[in-house]
Amino acid sequence: MKIDKIVLRKMKMALKTPFTTSFATQTEKHFSVVEVHAGGVVGYGDCSAISLPFYNEETNVTAWHIMRDFLIPMLKQAGEITHPSQAREIFAPVKRNNCAKAAIEGGLWDAWAKQQGISLAKAIGGERTRVEAGVSIGIQSTPDKLIEVVDGYLNEGYKRIKIKIKPGYDFNYVQALRQTFGDITLMVDANSAYTLDDIDLFKRMDQFGLLMIEQPLAHDDIIDHRKLQAAIATPICLDESIASAEDARKALELGSGKIINIKVARVGGITEVKMIHDLCQQQGVPVWCGGMLDTAVGKAHNIAIASLPNFVFAHDIPPSSRYWHEDFMLPQVEMDRDSCVAVPEAPGIGFAINPRLYQEYCYGEESFSF
């Protein structure tokens, strides 16, 4: 595949409502879109790094720097590539910075699949024609407010509810949901807000029969998670701790969790996603696709990877209307009455870009000829 040029676009979109996690409240999303122009097609990649270095080490600004000054020159120096998976090796000298790597590799995958005339899902070995969507709910001010919000999403048809938690916004909130809604499919996400000093809290939470507890301990930990998992019955799901297939191998070997959340941006691209997916499948460990307040392109890539066979739980892949007044994807992602979204069959990501909104949300761009 001969690359003609790569275009980076700086983008910004306002959230419909503020989204609060244990580390920050976001009211808008700054991100980048990568365009890979190759042989008459354009492949799109999404850089999901947020504007604060609180989820991982990256921000939208640092990711732009890494893409512009390192990854694109490295790709240019490598010359023509035959398959997008080669980007993983080309980018290997750059440590971490996985959101930046995933964005460019995602554009390569989309362009390559379009040249082959197949969907991105088919190109990576996906099997499903639709994938289940769950809803992720930010931290609410009171349990009563959380009940109100959850009730609204259950009425919209969501079957899996995920709530963000942090110290002081945890046990009573989960208890209120169980008392109000019974045995709905419920999970919590701590985004690394706790330590082993909170082990008694998580033992008490076993009574609620949660689907999983996502990333309760430090963002780079697999040792203490092993100790916590051994002490509780509820499955621990690792998120921030898993930045590569090698991280996943070590965590599984230690028994640090029973489930892994795979995010394209967090692990550095679709090639790494496949490696983690296959490793977990071989060991009988289920995975699912998490989200990063994804906009159009990132959501399209998430839908594709969620079609892989070992992605067995509902995913953070909601309809376009969940976070955004108007996303720049055509058609918009919709959820059916079974809480599922369709996997596109058209070549590449299977969606078109709304040119009006694409330009409206863009506030800067730079082009690099090959």
Side-chain angles (χ1 to χ4, degrees):
M1 181 172 68
K2 184 180 182 303
I3 301 170
D4 301 313
K5 68 176 179 178
I6 289 179
V7 178
L8 300 182
R9 288 179 177 261
K10 296 179 180 179
M11 310 282 285
K12 181 176 72 172
M13 291 171 61
L15 287 159
K16 291 171 72 173
T17 57
F19 190 83
T20 300
T21 66
S22 64
F23 59 80
T25 295
Q26 297 179 74
T27 58
E28 60 184 10
K29 178 76 180 284
H30 288 259
F31 61 103
S32 304
V33 172
V34 176
E35 299 175 3
V36 176
H37 296 248
V41 303
V42 180
Y44 294 94
D46 174 88
C47 185
S48 296
I50 63 175
S51 56
L52 304 166
F54 298 162
Y55 174 77
N56 64 1
E57 76 282 0
E58 293 176 271
T59 71
N60 60 299
V61 174
T62 64
W64 182 279
H65 161 55
I66 294 297
M67 290 188 291
R68 179 190 188 280
D69 296 326
F70 293 95
L71 301 184
I72 291 175
M74 292 167 79
L75 193 61
K76 187 173 182 178
Q77 184 178 10
E80 187 169 349
I81 65 172
T82 58
H83 193 270
S85 61
Q86 292 172 251
R88 180 179 182 270
E89 182 176 351
I90 293 169
F91 296 156
V94 175
K95 303 299 185 285
R96 295 182 70 94
N97 288 281
N98 286 341
C99 292
K101 293 178 181 178
I104 295 178
E105 196 222 39
L108 293 171
W109 270 104
D110 184 27
W112 184 81
K114 285 172 176 171
Q115 289 184 345
Q116 306 304 308
I118 58 176
S119 70
L120 179 58
K122 183 176 180 180
I124 64 174
E127 298 178 358
R128 293 185 174 86
T129 58
R130 58 181 190 157
V131 298
E132 186 176 351
V135 67
S136 178
I137 300 172
I139 294 171
Q140 303 299 310
S141 57
T142 66
D144 286 343
K145 179 60 178 175
L146 179 61
I147 288 170
E148 178 186 338
V149 172
V150 169
D151 186 56
Y153 285 118
L154 290 172
N155 288 331
E156 287 184 25
Y158 288 98
K159 295 181 179 179
R160 187 223 70 187
I161 302 294
K162 179 173 91 171
I163 65 167
K164 299 285 186 175
I165 61 171
K166 66 179 181 179
Y169 298 78
D170 40 41
F171 186 90
N172 291 343
Y173 285 67
V174 178
Q175 184 179 54
L177 293 182
R178 279 289 183 238
Q179 290 174 344
T180 304
F181 300 110
D183 62 349
I184 59 171
T185 302
L186 180 65
M187 60 178 285
V188 299
D189 182 6
N191 289 115
S192 307
Y194 299 85
T195 72
L196 282 181
D197 290 341
D198 301 299
I199 195 166
D200 288 339
L201 166 69
F202 291 109
K203 286 180 178 179
R204 291 171 61 211
M205 291 183 71
D206 270 343
Q207 67 186 278
F208 297 128
L210 297 172
L211 180 66
M212 66 186 83
I213 299 171
E214 187 177 353
Q215 196 70 33
L217 308 181
H219 74 283
D220 56 354
D221 170 76
I222 57 175
I223 303 300
D224 285 353
H225 277 103
R226 176 190 186 183
K227 296 176 183 177
L228 179 59
Q229 183 64 90
I232 65 175
T234 307
I236 289 175
C237 170
L238 297 176
D239 178 356
E240 288 95 323
S241 293
I242 308 301
S244 66
E246 185 64 8
D247 288 344
R249 181 192 67 78
K250 293 172 181 175
L252 296 182
E253 187 173 317
L254 287 172
S256 304
K258 298 179 180 179
I259 301 167
I260 289 181
N261 166 351
I262 303 180
K263 295 175 180 172
V264 180
R266 192 191 72 236
V267 305
I270 288 174
T271 304
E272 201 77 24
V273 167
K274 280 276 293 173
M275 293 173 66
I276 297 171
H277 167 274
D278 294 350
L279 172 68
C280 290
Q281 186 174 39
Q282 291 163 9
Q283 300 198 24
V285 174
V287 303
W288 61 283
C289 179
M292 295 183 67
L293 298 179
D294 301 286
T295 57
V297 176
K299 188 184 297 290
H301 284 269
N302 289 348
I303 292 171
I305 69 162
S307 70
L308 291 165
N310 195 41
F311 280 79
V312 299
F313 295 113
H315 315 286
D316 289 345
I317 307 177
S320 302
S321 60
R322 165 67 179 97
Y323 297 120
W324 315 110
H325 295 286
E326 196 172 8
D327 206 350
F328 59 95
M329 177 184 284
L330 295 172
Q332 297 285 288
V333 175
E334 304 287 349
M335 187 174 73
D336 65 23
R337 60 184 59 183
D338 293 322
S339 190
C340 292
V341 300
V343 177
E345 298 180 356
I349 60 174
F351 294 94
I353 298 298
N354 181 323
R356 175 183 63 83
L357 293 175
Y358 194 45
Q359 291 297 329
E360 180 180 326
Y361 299 147
C362 178
Y363 64 94
E365 66 177 84
E366 194 166 352
S367 182
F368 307 84
S369 298
F370 275 60

